[in-house]
Amino acid sequence: MTDPTHADPATEPRPGPPPAPRPAPRPLGEARRWPRSFADRLTAPLPGVRAFARLAREGAAAVRPGADGLRDVPKLPFAPGPLPPADPDTLAVTWAGHASWILRVGGLTVLTDPVWSRRILGTPARVTPVGVRWEDVPPVDAVVISHNHYDHLDAPTLRRLPRDTPVFAPAGLGRWFRHRRFSTVTELDWWEGAELHGVRFDFVPAHHWSKRRLTDTCRTLWGGWVLSDGRGRSVYFAGDTGYGHWFRRIAEHHPAIDLALLPIGAYAPRWWLGDVHTDPEEAVRAFRDLGARVMAPMHWATFVLSSEPVLEPLTRLLAAWDAAGLPRERLWDLAVGESRVL
């Protein structure tokens, strides 16, 4: 879910220096021991009593748009179409909605944070349908998960997958998958990677946090993924993140990213969500920090998770993109269900 953290955005976490770029890949499915908590990786402390008191005072206005903000729901972009053919030389993406993408990279079909459910815990139903019917999803070669919040880790969707589907997950989250009988679960720490059939999966930091139950705050790690094929082309999936120094560090470890999938929604009010969700202007800053070739926005137009009007993320993104003087062809503002080939 989209719970917040608050602090000075310049605060650095305490994970120690990262290893050299592109360390040797970890074995797939290896059993590993992890610390009991990853709270030392936070870039801002969790909200305190004052924040929750303010949330209670402001009520629904702090977490949902009013009637005016919802009136544009029918205008949200939805254009499902056929998936592009994929082969080892193809890098293609299809936006299924929210943070769920079908990536075709190095001949593999990879799902990111797959959520095909109509509703997730604690939120209204989807305001746009899933962009790709489940029966039209090609055979899935791998799944990557950014963190354990319900809008990114959806048990009903994952139950639809064969249990031998390789899963790439943040440190500490493997137990959740093994409990559901997934047989090949690769847990990675920040700056670690693994390989599957010639495609490299690297786990990178994010400005976020984790929680799924009352007692498991920060017990599992959070982050994004850089997937690279044998020809050196790469796509960065940010998952959930606020703006901060990690984007520049990711660029140092992974120069010349071809495509950055960056979140632009669920950002208002800023006092509640500013540390953990980029707003559209910050997403443009992140894109420039990354030095990526193309950006595709996500994490909007699917679930109503915060108080900004439903069409505002894209409107503000386009204005920020223009103000930054960036070429329009480098922004892939896809409709839900739309595909693009790099």
Side-chain angles (χ1 to χ4, degrees), residues 34-42 171-172 189 218-222:
W34 300 106
R36 182 173 175 80
S37 173
F38 292 93
D40 62 339
R41 307 292 185 91
L42 292 168
D189 201 346
C218 295
R219 295 287 180 84
T220 64
L221 196 50
W222 52 91

Side-chain angles (χ1 to χ4, degrees), residues 144-159:
V144 299
I145 300 294
S146 63
H147 65 299
N148 71 354
H149 288 160
Y150 281 89
D151 58 323
H152 294 259
L153 179 64
D154 183 54
T157 300
L158 292 163
R159 279 199 295 267

Side-chain angles (χ1 to χ4, degrees), residues 14-26:
R14 191 166 48 84
R22 307 286 291 190
R26 305 287 308 196

